[in-house]
Amino acid sequence: MKRNNILVCALMMVMLSCQGQTKVVVKYEQPAPLKDRPEQILHRKGFTISYNNETRNPNWVAWHLTEGHTKGPHQRKQEVFTEDSEVKTPRATNSDYYNSRYDRGHMCPAGDNKWDKEAMRESFLFTNVCPQNHGLNKYEWNDLEILCREWAREYGAIDIVCGPIYGDMMDRKTIGRSKVWVPEAFFKVILCRKGNPKAIGFIYRNEGVKQTMEEAVRTVDEIEALTGIDFFPALDDQVEDRVEARARLSDW
């Protein structure tokens, strides 16, 4: 999405103190601020969340996945899903998912947070979770998560953003007393900045019908148009325009 806005780029940066000097770290994975829906930004150790208190789900979750983050000693079997006390009630709870027929689907997966105990724990907060069809969660979505870890190992690091897509308001489903919105589909966009930068997007319907990865491929431009989210705004405009207009699985 084309823009030339210094303020937007500034919001993608974090100031760190390093031996008495100030170091600017650009958060390439973080989308531009949203103006058309509720948004509460939550900074976690392994990822960043844009939380929507109307849907009780994240608008998006973004993270920088390095090769080192694809492995570690901290396992998900030690964790439990937990309410996020940093967001107001009503908010998603474990009871909302009970008998809902939907999985508690991670956006930033536990498998990307094995490198750190706190990062693993935070990945089980409900602000990083959406109601997800069990078949999608177990198969296609999991396959894409595994592939992203393979790409992080191959390229050294990638930037990832994913989140829910909702359908028509008239057909809106919710679960539980908190009325957590059920997405119609999920998106994921991935950026590799190594060498000649490239990007690719995916959309999977939130259902258990078999969906091939090739059928799910979309350009980042297509997903921006569908979601209204501006991805990778910290990129140079010319680079952004080029990588967001092309999506070929064979390029990866």
Side-chain angles (χ1 to χ4, degrees), residues 150-161:
E150 291 176 0
W151 286 341
R153 288 189 286 267
E154 180 178 353
Y155 299 113
I158 56 176
D159 299 303
I160 305 172
V161 191

Side-chain angles (χ1 to χ4, degrees), residues 27-30 45-48 61-72 107-115 119 144-161 188-194 232 252:
K27 304 281 284 183
Y28 283 97
E29 75 276 16
Q30 190 165 321
K45 191 160 189 178
F47 50 92
T48 304
V61 180
W63 64 106
H64 180 67
L65 183 63
T66 70
E67 179 182 5
H69 287 177
T70 65
K71 53 193 173 184
M107 294 295 94
C108 181
D112 289 5
N113 290 280
K114 293 185 290 187
W115 56 280
L144 183 56
E145 292 172 345
I146 292 171
L147 183 58
C148 285
R149 287 192 282 274
E150 291 176 0
W151 286 341
R153 288 189 286 267
E154 180 178 353
Y155 299 113
I158 56 176
D159 299 303
I160 305 172
V161 191
K188 181 168 283 187
V189 294
I190 301 109
L191 170 69
C192 174
R193 291 182 278 115
K194 183 179 180 180
F232 313 128
W252 293 73

Side-chain angles (χ1 to χ4, degrees), residues 98-140:
Y98 183 71
N99 274 344
S100 71
R101 299 186 179 181
Y102 287 95
D103 285 3
R104 296 162 295 189
H106 282 81
M107 294 295 94
C108 181
D112 289 5
N113 290 280
K114 293 185 290 187
W115 56 280
D116 184 87
K117 182 178 180 179
E118 182 67 8
M120 175 61 77
R121 184 192 68 80
E122 290 179 337
S123 75
F124 280 81
L125 292 171
F126 275 109
T127 42
N128 182 46
V129 168
C130 290
Q132 194 166 54
N133 177 275
H134 175 71
L136 175 63
N137 188 26
K138 185 177 180 180
Y139 297 110
E140 288 90 343

Side-chain angles (χ1 to χ4, degrees), residues 32-68:
L34 295 170
K35 304 296 184 183
D36 61 347
R37 72 204 78 173
E39 177 176 59
Q40 179 183 354
I41 298 298
L42 303 167
H43 296 287
R44 304 305 184 204
K45 191 160 189 178
F47 50 92
T48 304
I49 297 167
S50 164
Y51 176 71
N52 187 321
N53 62 14
E54 180 180 358
T55 66
R56 327 287 195 236
N57 288 322
N59 296 307
W60 53 256
V61 180
W63 64 106
H64 180 67
L65 183 63
T66 70
E67 179 182 5

